[in-house]
Amino acid sequence: MQSDPDRIAVGVVGVGGMGTVHAENLHALNPGVQVVAVMDADPARAEEVAARCGSVSVFGDAHEMIADDKVEAVVIASPDYTHAELTLECLRRKKPVLCEKPLATTAEDALKVVEAEVGVGRKLVKVGFMRRYDPQHLGVRDAVTRGDVGRPVLLKGWHRNPETLPGATSEFVVFSSAIHDLDSARWLLEQEIEEVYAHGVNTEPALGKNTCDLQLIQLVLSGGCLATIEVYVTAGYGYEVGAEVVGERGTAHTVPAGGVVVRRDRALSRPIEGNWRARFQTAYVNEIEQWTKALINGRAEGPDAWDGLMSVLAAEACVASLRSGLPQRLQAPERPVLYRQGLSEVAG
Ligand code: ISE
């Protein structure tokens, strides 16, 4: 429960790259939002971020921070393998939670989160699919839902990172990167993924020949739409994400983000972002602002635990397809009523 109906006190678990972005974006929303606690396995990092957010308690244990009475809502930005367990802890304590993607590293664990939230009886979980708050992607979705392009028949997506983590595996590329594109396909088209066919190659010897740092993922969706998504995490030149929806009457696509175009010496150039925090800076602010505003207004909006489960199911199918070389059909569970509503009430 909120101590002040017009203010929400938030704790952040994990203040690495993304956790720090969220903590700073939350702190900028003062006084309606207050960062009251941060947790990180690295005490020095936790203290450093806490100092930037004012009078903030520092924890070394995530469960202790989630349990603290000062903490009314939680952001989880810790390593992926902790997401499901910590989200379940928030549900046990009936605390709203924004969990960075992926919701879980297995569909089994994501389903446990869905089942736990159904048991609570109201939506408390939101998943960090920030592209849903990117003006570019919102513009494409609006054009599609307005019918500007006619019936959608094909989605083309591209997701390029300049580099990836040392030791990255094909599975990491799917669960850390491609999972955004899998959610984008569902969200932009308002259709479910029925079949996945993933191919991959290694272009970066340092990652080892078994790591597919370039993946081409083909989807068949429930409304008859097809999708083809390029995920290239060692593209080198910069960070670029985009999407084009092709319809029977036209297309809608994102335009390259980045700075101004300079024309000179019979050439033109435009800077390209180097990472996702720069490219999606506005989206991250919008995401956290809308999450906290919805909490204060007692509503639940945006990507929920069901979206989290469906993206993990599709990610597992991608991994299975990469391994087998065969298309994979998705076997989704029955969608609970909680996730069939529009905007549902969050914990009162
Ligand atoms: C990273 O974790 C993200 O979430 C970024 O949005 C994505 O582009 C990147 O590939 C991931 O590693």
Side-chain angles (χ1 to χ4, degrees):
M1 285 298 287
Q2 290 162 238
S3 57
D4 174 345
D6 298 321
R7 188 203 73 142
I8 189 91
V10 184
V12 181
V13 176
V15 282
M18 272 318 308
T20 299
V21 168
H22 289 320
E24 291 177 341
N25 288 344
L26 285 161
H27 183 54
L29 294 172
N30 251 325
V33 175
Q34 188 179 0
V35 178
V36 293
V38 296
M39 175 273 162
D40 197 276
D42 177 343
R45 191 158 70 178
E47 292 288 353
E48 197 267 326
V49 173
R52 284 193 237 161
C53 296
S55 56
V56 175
S57 302
V58 175
F59 289 80
D61 179 278
H63 290 268
E64 278 181 32
M65 192 208 82
I66 293 168
D68 191 283
D69 289 338
K70 289 194 306 296
V71 173
E72 297 167 339
V74 180
V75 171
I76 296 173
S78 45
D80 295 358
Y81 69 88
T82 66
H83 290 183
E85 169 209 347
L86 295 178
T87 301
L88 287 167
E89 180 67 13
C90 293
L91 287 169
R92 277 190 286 273
R93 297 184 178 278
K94 297 190 175 46
K95 293 191 178 182
V97 51
L98 168 60
C99 179
E100 264 298 332
K101 40 49 70 177
L103 176 62
T105 52
T106 66
E108 181 184 6
D109 285 349
L111 184 58
K112 286 175 185 169
V113 172
V114 164
E115 291 170 343
E117 189 171 50
V118 169
V120 170
R122 54 188 180 273
K123 283 189 184 179
L124 290 172
V125 178
K126 184 181 171 71
V127 182
F129 289 123
M130 79 294 177
R131 291 186 194 176
R132 297 190 183 204
Y133 302 90
D134 172 51
Q136 291 269 9
H137 284 77
L138 279 162
V140 170
R141 188 174 191 271
D142 290 347
V144 173
T145 50
R146 275 196 309 265
D148 293 0
V149 303
R151 183 176 72 86
V153 292
L154 174 66
L155 165 69
K156 293 192 281 188
W158 52 100
H159 180 174
R160 298 175 186 141
N161 290 197
E163 69 271 326
T164 189
L165 296 177
T169 63
S170 299
E171 293 78 2
F172 173 80
V173 172
V174 171
F175 274 85
S176 176
S177 304
I179 201 153
H180 281 293
D181 308 281
L182 298 169
D183 178 68
S184 287
R186 292 183 63 243
W187 175 67
L188 288 171
L189 301 168
E190 294 186 328
Q191 298 180 27
E192 288 304 337
I193 298 170
E194 294 184 337
E195 180 180 291
V196 167
Y197 196 4
H199 295 83
V201 293
N202 173 265
T203 73
E204 181 49 73
L207 292 172
K209 63 181 174 43
N210 295 326
T211 292
C212 299
D213 54 305
L214 171 57
Q215 299 183 12
L216 190 62
I217 297 169
Q218 295 172 298
L219 306 175
V220 177
L221 293 110
S222 56
C225 198
L226 300 177
T228 174
I229 298 164
E230 168 209 331
V231 179
Y232 189 16
V233 297
T234 56
Y237 73 89
Y239 182 87
E240 278 201 301
V241 165
E244 176 176 27
V245 175
V246 180
E248 290 180 321
R249 289 174 44 199
T251 83
H253 63 83
T254 57
V255 293
V260 295
V261 173
V262 173
R263 285 177 168 79
R264 176 180 170 162
D265 301 335
R266 297 181 57 192
L268 61 85
S269 69
R270 177 186 58 78
I272 294 174
E273 284 85 358
N275 62 57
W276 55 91
R277 289 183 291 279
R279 165 63 184 81
F280 290 108
Q281 184 177 6
T282 300
Y284 287 123
V285 171
N286 294 343
E287 177 186 51
I288 215 85
E289 201 164 48
Q290 291 183 38
W291 176 56
T292 51
K293 196 174 291 182
L295 292 183
I296 289 170
N297 296 331
R299 300 192 65 77
E301 298 163 2
D304 56 25
W306 183 257
D307 297 312
L309 170 59
M310 296 311 284
S311 62
V312 169
L313 270 171
E316 282 190 343
C318 285
V319 171
S321 184
L322 285 170
R323 287 176 177 158
S324 67
L326 299 171
Q328 299 290 327
R329 300 286 297 177
L330 265 68
Q331 308 296 333
E334 180 71 23
R335 187 171 187 156
V337 169
L338 181 65
Y339 302 106
R340 294 196 206 135
Q341 299 156 354
L343 299 180
S344 64
E345 294 309 305
V346 78

